[in-house]
Amino acid sequence: MFVFAMLSMACKTTVNAQNHSKTQDVNALLEKRYQSLLDYPIDSLGFPRSMSLKTGVVKKVPSKDWTSGFFVGNLWQIYQLTGDSRFKERAAVWNAFMEKEKLNNHSHDVGFKIFCSFGKGLEVENNPKYKAVVIKSAETLITRFNKKVGSIRSWDFNKDIWEFPVIIDNMMNLELLFEASKFSGDAKYKKIAIQHANTTLKNHFRKDGSTYHVVVYDTITGVAKNKITFQGFKDDSSWARGQSWAVYGFTMCYRYTKDAAYLKQAEATAKYFINHKNMPEDGIPYWDFNDTSIPNAPRDASAAAVMASALVELYKYTKDEMYLNYSNKVIHSLSSDKYLLNETVKGPFILDHSTGHLPKNDEIDEPIIYGDYYFLEAIIRKKAL
Ligand code: GLY
């Protein structure tokens, strides 16, 4: 099947001699991991989010959780890779459980939820009902836009501490707005996406290309008054997944706008990430580049997977081989015994060693659903090159 050929190609790019029987093992293992998604019971309230390998317990969440769309997206993507219609049929079943999220305006995450499920479904089939869900979700997302700030509000919690928080992750939600403008013919969604991207470009980045996690704005003046972290090691550190969201987000914004400033920022942050002195040899970063316990800090495979997918696209626009080499290295590393879950693991996941929220002591060094999602997307994007 195609994915296996792709993995083999990725390995050949980074390793001189590829052991054939080893490649076959990886292929067989991936097939088993894919099957584990079909083995997972259908449950409209139990989207798999992460898993403890110590206890074997799968953490399940309802559709309102920010991660719910990734499992659905993984089913769509495995269908794209294998052509096995069982994955497509199952994806359509789970997609239906997500639809109510189009009206959920409690956070910016409507973008992650709907675009990673319905948006991925639209790559597979031109379904007008899915397009209508994307447009309705975009309508919901723009209710969180503040004209004075020029951004979409990310979170509603901690209102007594943060007046108007915007996190770098929010760049990922703009794809929903760009697509909604295409589907509806109404430019208002795209205009808001561009304003959000421009405000983020102005306030989120440091001179070395790295990004802050959270910028808190004053809603009276529109001024960025605090630059802090929520999930990172400290306010001025570089939380690895945040860097990846930034590169993915600005590369994607370049796709829709051709604004060279977006490409310039994506390149600056990508170079910071790839060339960082604390980047391990295998290309899978520690969860935060500035954790003082490195090299004993946990890795974040999800940050590597998001970056690998983003850099296949960045390579398309720049033709800089450095980006493609990094993506190849990550696909190769994540396909090794160290990261790929073996057949004994009974849970709908593919990769180990992602880190969700270390300061909260939550989801550290374990399988997390979005790591799998961007790993599969990176492979699919490579195929399309
Ligand atoms: N958007 C939340 C995270 O990256 O963990």
Side-chain angles (χ1 to χ4, degrees):
M1 283 182 217
F2 172 73
V3 63
F4 311 133
M6 284 304 301
L7 282 173
S8 166
M9 273 168 56
C11 297
K12 275 180 196 142
T13 320
T14 50
V15 182
N16 287 338
Q18 182 62 52
N19 176 319
H20 186 64
S21 63
K22 188 84 178 161
T23 307
Q24 298 260 312
D25 290 346
V26 170
N27 297 344
L29 202 49
L30 270 170
E31 272 198 61
K32 291 205 171 98
R33 295 315 325 158
Y34 294 170
Q35 178 60 40
S36 72
L37 276 75
L38 293 179
D39 295 342
Y40 185 75
I42 296 171
D43 174 359
S44 65
L45 301 175
F47 290 78
R49 173 176 164 141
S50 60
M51 178 176 186
S52 161
L53 294 181
K54 286 190 198 100
T55 62
V57 173
V58 173
K59 180 174 175 185
K60 299 175 184 190
V61 289
S63 62
K64 71 176 184 192
D65 188 87
W66 81 274
T67 64
S68 57
F70 295 116
F71 178 67
V72 192
N74 289 349
L75 290 164
W76 286 120
Q77 294 192 105
I78 295 172
Y79 170 71
Q80 287 177 300
L81 286 166
T82 64
D84 183 336
S85 59
R86 291 175 305 160
F87 291 97
K88 183 179 163 188
E89 285 154 19
R90 190 63 66 88
V93 171
W94 281 90
N95 234 21
F97 305 151
M98 294 292 307
E99 186 173 341
K100 60 181 178 295
E101 294 309 319
K102 69 185 179 188
L103 301 173
N104 184 343
N105 66 356
H106 295 302
S107 79
H108 67 157
D109 291 325
V110 59
F112 272 112
K113 288 183 270 190
I114 297 298
F115 209 72
C116 298
S117 53
F118 286 89
K120 263 309 165 205
L122 279 163
E123 286 180 18
V124 171
E125 58 188 42
N126 185 14
N127 186 331
K129 286 187 190 147
Y130 290 5
K131 285 186 180 168
V133 173
V134 167
I135 295 166
K136 189 73 204 169
S137 306
E139 203 58 46
T140 297
L141 184 56
I142 63 170
T143 62
R144 301 182 63 79
F145 181 71
N146 180 304
K147 271 196 200 143
K148 188 74 198 173
V149 173
S151 277
I152 296 163
R153 183 189 185 100
S154 292
W155 294 323
D156 287 350
F157 62 92
N158 274 356
K159 271 191 171 146
D160 49 339
I161 309 173
W162 303 328
E163 187 174 343
F164 191 96
V166 178
I167 62 174
I168 191 66
D169 324 26
N170 205 338
M171 287 299 299
M172 300 296 285
N173 296 314
L174 306 184
E175 197 167 0
L176 176 90
L177 300 182
F178 286 120
E179 286 296 314
S181 275
K182 266 173 46 185
F183 297 154
S184 65
D186 188 336
K188 72 178 172 187
Y189 310 110
K190 181 175 178 177
K191 275 191 195 149
I192 287 179
I194 291 172
Q195 285 182 72
H196 182 97
N198 290 343
T199 304
T200 302
L201 193 61
K202 191 168 141 211
N203 295 314
H204 254 84
F205 292 95
R206 307 178 184 117
K207 282 204 173 68
D208 61 8
S210 67
T211 176
Y212 287 97
H213 183 206
V214 188
V215 173
V216 182
Y217 292 91
D218 183 313
T219 52
I220 307 290
T221 62
V223 165
K225 53 182 190 179
N226 296 111
K227 300 188 179 187
I228 57 173
T229 196
F230 183 60
Q231 278 163 266
F233 184 71
K234 55 185 179 139
D235 289 343
D236 60 357
S237 73
S238 296
W239 174 51
R241 198 163 55 255
Q243 313 309 307
S244 303
W245 293 141
V247 175
Y248 192 117
F250 278 98
T251 306
M252 174 267 295
C253 284
Y254 178 77
R255 185 199 316 152
Y256 291 100
T257 62
K258 300 297 170 226
D259 185 333
Y262 297 162
L263 202 61
K264 193 172 163 207
Q265 186 58 58
E267 288 209 81
T269 310
K271 284 177 183 153
Y272 171 89
F273 186 99
I274 296 171
N275 300 323
H276 199 284
K277 67 178 172 48
N278 287 339
M279 173 61 86
E281 197 56 34
D282 66 2
I284 314 302
Y286 297 100
W287 74 284
D288 188 303
F289 284 103
N290 304 105
D291 184 339
T292 47
S293 65
I294 289 173
N296 299 316
R299 303 286 191 99
D300 183 11
S302 76
V306 174
M307 188 61 89
S309 181
L311 292 194
V312 177
E313 183 168 20
L314 192 55
Y315 166 75
K316 262 174 54 182
Y317 306 137
T318 61
K319 297 292 173 231
D320 187 334
E321 295 280 336
M322 177 176 60
Y323 303 133
L324 198 55
N325 289 342
Y326 176 79
S327 297
N328 285 333
K329 185 200 278 197
V330 167
I331 293 171
H332 179 58
S333 296
L334 295 181
S335 310
S336 71
D337 293 351
K338 180 169 176 189
Y339 295 95
L340 195 58
L341 293 170
N342 68 43
E343 62 261 36
T344 64
V345 176
K346 301 278 180 264
F349 301 97
I350 301 170
L351 301 175
D352 193 5
H353 302 302
S354 288
T355 293
H357 193 154
L358 190 135
K360 217 174 94 186
N361 200 22
D362 190 27
E363 297 177 325
I364 299 172
D365 197 23
E366 59 186 37
I368 307 183
I369 199 75
Y370 42 83
D372 299 348
Y373 178 93
Y374 292 100
F375 171 62
L376 293 170
E377 191 181 74
I379 294 168
I380 291 168
R381 284 182 167 190
K382 266 214 67 185
K383 173 195 173 192
L385 274 185

